[in-house]
Amino acid sequence: MIAWFIAAILVLILELFVGTIYLLVVSAALFGAGISAWLFDSISISIITAAALSAVGIWWAHGWIKKHRRSPVDESARNDLDIGQTVQINRHLHGNLYEVHYRGTVWQAQADNGADHAAGQTAVITGKNGNILLIHLHSSSN
């Protein structure tokens, strides 16, 4: 009986180093097997309990991860420190393209709200397309 709890603790410690939810599920299943060993004093019931709890838990965890996973574009935008930063507009090039000053250098930027803005106004970075910044221009009243 105590072996199930020791195994659950060891798998939990391993999970802390690896960082997957699946090992957490297996650890919980081994803990459940330890409880069933304590209640029924049967190795067969404990093994069945561990297997069933692992299968159900891994199936549930896989579905939860699949449901809550972000797209690669959303994930890269979430980790991009440039998004949300303010840029200074140097000049309007043509169409919705601008030349902006950001991080000590000049960049090309594409506005998602293509209003004509004079030099000196600001915009916010909303994304990137290669080396072109995608920006949202502030209204002229700002």
Side-chain angles (χ1 to χ4, degrees):
M1 169 180 71
I2 194 88
W4 291 105
F5 295 117
I6 292 171
I9 290 170
L10 291 175
V11 171
L12 180 63
I13 290 170
L14 179 64
E15 191 278 332
L16 293 175
F17 287 108
V18 176
T20 77
I21 188 116
Y22 298 109
L23 287 178
L24 186 63
V25 169
V26 171
S27 176
L30 291 173
F31 185 79
I35 291 174
S36 70
W38 176 62
L39 291 175
F40 301 109
D41 196 27
S42 170
I43 191 76
S44 301
I45 292 176
S46 298
I47 291 172
I48 291 171
T49 301
L53 289 176
S54 292
V56 170
I58 289 172
W59 171 77
W60 174 83
H62 179 71
W64 188 87
I65 289 170
K66 191 175 180 182
K67 180 180 176 184
H68 290 90
R69 180 170 284 152
R70 294 182 187 94
S71 71
V73 172
D74 290 340
E75 193 62 34
S76 67
R78 182 178 170 94
N79 294 329
D80 191 345
L81 298 177
D82 293 328
I83 294 178
Q85 299 296 318
T86 302
V87 297
Q88 188 78 27
I89 297 174
N90 289 346
R91 65 185 176 115
H92 180 245
L93 298 174
H94 59 83
N96 61 349
L97 290 177
Y98 293 84
E99 183 178 89
V100 298
H101 184 77
Y102 176 62
R103 288 196 292 172
T105 191
V106 176
W107 295 70
Q108 282 191 354
Q110 182 178 359
D112 61 1
N113 58 341
D116 284 333
H117 275 53
Q121 291 185 321
T122 60
V124 174
I125 300 173
T126 58
K128 292 179 184 172
N129 185 6
N131 63 348
I132 296 177
L133 299 175
L134 304 176
I135 58 173
H136 182 81
L137 301 170
H138 291 139
S139 64
S140 58
S141 63
N142 286 349

